[in-house]
């Protein structure tokens, strides 16, 4: 499991001008997409996390997956212990950037009923996850 590099949050941010970087969880677990579903579930349980950031071989964030989604895959009739995270069907977005104003994230999260939104930097790395407080 690769954890996200943490950076101090801005103490001077005002609620009126808050950005995603001010509110995101920087300790979201990140795993490679070649990990099996069973191992990913174990990582989530150990980290007490409800979601994982999935990264490709280059370390670029490709998506976020929830514990409920992985449990549904594991409990399906088509499940085998060889299914990798890259094989799990699902959404590849949306993503947000650290500099995005918080008021611009409300619509995508509520409209798509998202529990969390991956925060992806310009280089494709994922510094964290935005989850409602």
């Amino acid at each position: 499991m690769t954890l996200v590099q943490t950076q101090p949050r801005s103490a001077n941010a005002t609620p009126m001008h808050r950005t995603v970087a001010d509110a995101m969880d920087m300790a979201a677990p990140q795993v490679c997409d070649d990990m099996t579903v069973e191992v990913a579930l174990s990582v989530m349980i150990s980290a007490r996390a409800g979601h994982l950031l999935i990264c490709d071989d280059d370390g670029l964030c490709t998506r976020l997956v929830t514990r409920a989604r992985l449990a549904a895959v594991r409990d399906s009739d088509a499940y085998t212990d060889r299914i990798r995270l890259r094989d799990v069907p699902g959404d590849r977005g949306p993503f947000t950037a650290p500099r995005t104003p918080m008021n611009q994230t409300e619509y995508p999260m509520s409209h798509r009923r998202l529990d969390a939104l991956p925060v992806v930097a310009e280089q494709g790395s994922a510094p964290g996850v935005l989850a409602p407080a």
Side-chain angles (χ1 to χ4, degrees):
M1 174 173 72
T2 305
L3 294 178
V4 176
Q5 295 288 332
T6 59
Q7 299 175 4
R9 294 181 188 196
S10 172
N12 300 327
T14 61
M16 209 164 112
H17 295 96
R18 280 187 58 176
T19 63
V20 168
D22 298 321
M24 72 180 175
D25 176 11
M26 293 183 280
Q30 292 185 19
V31 296
C32 193
D33 62 1
D34 65 350
M35 182 178 282
T36 64
V37 168
E38 199 63 41
V39 172
L41 281 166
S42 295
V43 167
M44 292 176 92
I45 291 167
S46 297
R48 294 187 174 109
H51 52 265
L52 291 174
L53 290 166
I54 310 300
C55 299
D56 64 14
D57 292 335
D58 297 322
L60 304 178
C61 182
T62 57
R63 66 182 163 145
L64 178 135
V65 68
T66 64
R67 186 184 304 186
R69 178 69 185 130
L70 292 182
V73 168
R74 183 195 56 203
D75 296 340
S76 73
D77 292 336
Y79 177 74
T80 71
D81 61 356
R82 295 183 182 167
I83 294 180
R84 309 252 178 229
L85 293 175
R86 70 171 65 101
D87 302 327
V88 174
D91 235 342
R92 300 284 184 205
F95 298 96
T96 190
R99 293 183 182 167
T100 304
M102 283 297 295
N103 61 358
Q104 291 182 14
T105 64
E106 293 168 2
Y107 178 76
M109 289 189 77
S110 64
H111 179 68
R112 295 186 68 173
R113 297 181 184 152
L114 301 173
D115 294 330
L117 190 62
V119 180
V120 178
E122 291 177 18
Q123 312 86 345
S125 63
V129 172
L130 179 64

